[in-house]
Amino acid sequence: MTTEAETHGNTRRAELLSIAAGLFAEKGFKNTTVRDIADASGILSGSLYHHFDSKESIVDEILSTFQEELFASYDAVLASDDDARTKIERAVHLSFEAIDKHRHEVAIFQNEADYLGGFGRFAYLAERNAQSREVWITLLDDGVRSGVLRSDLDIELTYRFIRDTVWVAVRWYRPGRKLTHERIADQYLTILLDGISHG
Amino acid sequence: MTTEAETHGNTRRAELLSIAAGLFAEKGFKNTTVRDIADASGILSGSLYHHFDSKESIVDEILSTFQEELFASYDAVLASDDDARTKIERAVHLSFEAIDKHRHEVAIFQNEADYLGGFGRFAYLAERNAQSREVWITLLDDGVRSGVLRSDLDIELTYRFIRDTVWVAVRWYRPGRKLTHERIADQYLTILLDGISHG
DNA sequence: GTCTATATAACGATAGAC
DNA sequence: GTCTATCGTTATATAGAC
């Protein structure tokens, strides 16, 4: 059961996290001060510490919450009985959908994971990275084995290209423009699967 | 004419710039303190200001020098009389070669251009970005017009995918390992031109 | 060209009143 | 839950001796 007070506290907390996420994504973790976050929230910097232990705790909560949701949806794709090609298409679409729905979180992970990973409390970021690699290697191996993908592929290199291209789109994608995330995913899959060459 | 004193001063200056570039690339511009740079150089932080005006001047010199060299080599490709496909292949190889020869500079540009671009003195970064876009759009347009590339391509989107995938490799590429930059470029061109799909 | 010493500002975080 | 007030630390940068 959830009391009204808890609900209200949670929405306020979520609001602060969302404001902080926008700033972290736009200016970077180190470039965003707790005063920046407080200003954007309409309160003073000291008041933030009623809600969070530290600046690190804020970005920690942003990233861990997002990662949990993201990998749950990857698991759903892996567990399905779709064929190899459909699974790859679903995984790609799922990633661009994450960029659309959670672009701040994706941007923070892309930009700050290396730096934050140096701190013990963010060790789960490296684990999630390894988990993501396993998902894609599985999908690509299945693709080659079932004859959907070319057998001369360097699987490891292909995985890196897919991972990089899919996530780096967060740098330029903005929701609400002409180019929807579904169309970007489709165009990307066309290039990835069939190439840009004629014939 | 260059005197010996100037030569010596320039090598020392180049040495400091190289040390700073490594730190900026590894830890980020904001996360690297002038004390970090001084420590790594075996001098004290105050002594750095004998060589450079400010921390910003250091990263400025790193980036502008690199950009000048990079775009000179792009121009050479554009000016050549190779066919469209060869030019695209040369441009891709050239980028992976830049990652190999100047990975710190590439990494700094990839990670910090957005943030630094906010300062007036780094306005040239946005100009170089536009220049890079023109190079690739020209190459892709020529490719479609000459029948080398598929005519149903979204040129703008294709350009972004190529740009992102080519440069983001700086995140994982390390020189001196089994995978050479030439082989990475070849594998990447195979995927880009022909796709990963079988048939 | 580097050192000693320090100015000056910004930062993350805390304590207690309201 | 926010404010006032401030502590302790760290950051960029400067001035002058050597």
Side-chain angles (χ1 to χ4, degrees):
Chain A
M1 163 182 163
T2 308
T3 67
E4 273 187 48
E6 272 170 0
T7 300
H8 202 78
N10 285 342
T11 61
R12 177 59 171 157
R13 187 183 187 80
E15 199 181 349
L16 294 173
L17 284 170
S18 173
I19 290 168
L23 291 169
F24 288 152
E26 189 196 345
K27 318 197 323 168
F29 176 70
K30 196 81 180 190
N31 282 315
T32 303
T33 70
V34 295
R35 283 179 174 84
D36 288 336
I37 301 170
D39 284 353
S41 308
I43 59 178
L44 292 185
S45 65
S47 305
L48 266 181
Y49 290 83
H50 172 74
H51 300 277
F52 306 100
D53 281 349
S54 66
K55 187 180 163 186
E56 273 187 18
S57 292
I58 298 177
V59 76
D60 194 343
E61 190 163 335
I62 291 168
L63 288 177
S64 57
T65 303
F66 166 64
Q67 299 267 33
E68 216 166 317
E69 185 179 330
L70 177 67
F71 281 86
S73 52
Y74 274 131
D75 287 344
V77 171
L78 276 183
S80 77
D81 52 4
D82 291 325
D83 61 90
R85 183 179 173 119
T86 304
K87 280 185 180 175
I88 290 175
E89 290 172 347
R90 283 185 60 188
V92 167
H93 270 276
L94 187 156
S95 304
F96 282 101
E97 195 180 319
I99 291 177
D100 181 64
K101 299 281 182 299
H102 304 285
R103 37 186 272 267
H104 295 325
E105 291 84 347
V106 172
I108 295 168
F109 179 71
Q110 288 299 300
N111 297 330
E112 319 285 352
D114 270 4
Y115 167 67
L116 293 175
F119 302 97
R121 72 184 296 173
F122 293 102
Y124 66 89
L125 293 177
E127 289 169 30
R128 291 298 196 182
N129 239 330
Q131 192 180 346
S132 154
R133 181 179 170 281
E134 276 171 45
V135 169
W136 276 107
I137 297 288
T138 301
L139 292 178
L140 292 173
D141 273 341
D142 285 359
V144 171
R145 195 142 14 93
S146 65
V148 173
L149 301 184
R150 299 161 43 174
S151 54
D152 64 335
L153 284 179
D154 181 326
I155 296 290
E156 181 69 30
L157 205 46
T158 304
Y159 152 66
R160 289 182 192 166
F161 282 138
I162 293 177
R163 174 200 61 184
D164 292 346
T165 318
V166 159
W167 290 123
V168 85
V170 76
R171 294 196 176 195
W172 51 264
Y173 173 77
R174 292 295 174 272
R177 291 192 184 169
K178 262 181 290 185
L179 219 50
T180 66
H181 67 92
E182 288 99 343
R183 173 149 163 69
I184 295 173
D186 284 335
Q187 278 273 332
Y188 171 61
L189 278 166
T190 300
I191 297 176
L192 177 69
L193 292 169
D194 300 327
I196 67 174
S197 166
H198 184 213
Chain B
M1 162 180 164
T2 307
T3 68
E4 272 186 49
E6 272 169 359
T7 300
H8 202 78
N10 286 341
T11 60
R12 177 59 172 158
R13 185 183 189 81
E15 198 181 350
L16 294 171
L17 285 170
S18 174
I19 290 168
L23 290 169
F24 288 153
E26 189 197 344
K27 318 198 322 169
F29 176 69
K30 196 81 181 190
N31 282 316
T32 303
T33 71
V34 294
R35 282 182 175 85
D36 289 336
I37 302 170
D39 283 353
S41 307
I43 58 177
L44 292 185
S45 65
S47 306
L48 264 181
Y49 290 84
H50 172 75
H51 301 276
F52 307 101
D53 281 348
S54 65
K55 186 181 161 185
E56 273 187 19
S57 292
I58 298 177
V59 77
D60 194 343
E61 192 163 333
I62 291 168
L63 288 176
S64 57
T65 303
F66 165 64
Q67 298 268 33
E68 216 166 318
E69 185 180 329
L70 177 66
F71 280 87
S73 52
Y74 274 130
D75 288 343
V77 172
L78 275 183
S80 77
D81 51 4
D82 291 325
D83 61 89
R85 182 179 173 119
T86 303
K87 280 185 181 175
I88 290 175
E89 290 172 346
R90 282 185 60 187
V92 167
H93 271 275
L94 188 156
S95 304
F96 282 102
E97 195 181 319
I99 291 177
D100 181 64
K101 298 280 182 300
H102 305 285
R103 36 186 274 266
H104 295 323
E105 290 84 345
V106 172
I108 295 169
F109 178 71
Q110 288 299 301
N111 296 330
E112 319 285 351
D114 270 5
Y115 168 68
L116 294 175
F119 303 97
R121 72 184 298 174
F122 293 101
Y124 66 89
L125 293 177
E127 289 169 30
R128 290 297 197 183
N129 239 329
Q131 192 179 346
S132 155
R133 181 179 171 281
E134 276 171 46
V135 169
W136 276 108
I137 297 287
T138 300
L139 292 178
L140 292 173
D141 274 340
D142 284 358
V144 171
R145 197 144 10 92
S146 65
V148 172
L149 302 184
R150 298 160 44 174
S151 54
D152 65 335
L153 284 179
D154 181 327
I155 297 291
E156 181 68 31
L157 206 46
T158 304
Y159 151 66
R160 289 182 193 166
F161 282 138
I162 293 176
R163 173 200 61 185
D164 291 346
T165 318
V166 160
W167 291 122
V168 85
V170 76
R171 295 197 175 194
W172 52 264
Y173 173 78
R174 292 294 174 272
R177 290 192 186 171
K178 262 181 291 184
L179 219 49
T180 65
H181 67 91
E182 288 100 341
R183 171 148 164 72
I184 294 173
D186 284 334
Q187 278 275 331
Y188 171 62
L189 277 166
T190 300
I191 297 176
L192 177 70
L193 292 168
D194 300 327
I196 68 174
S197 167
H198 184 212

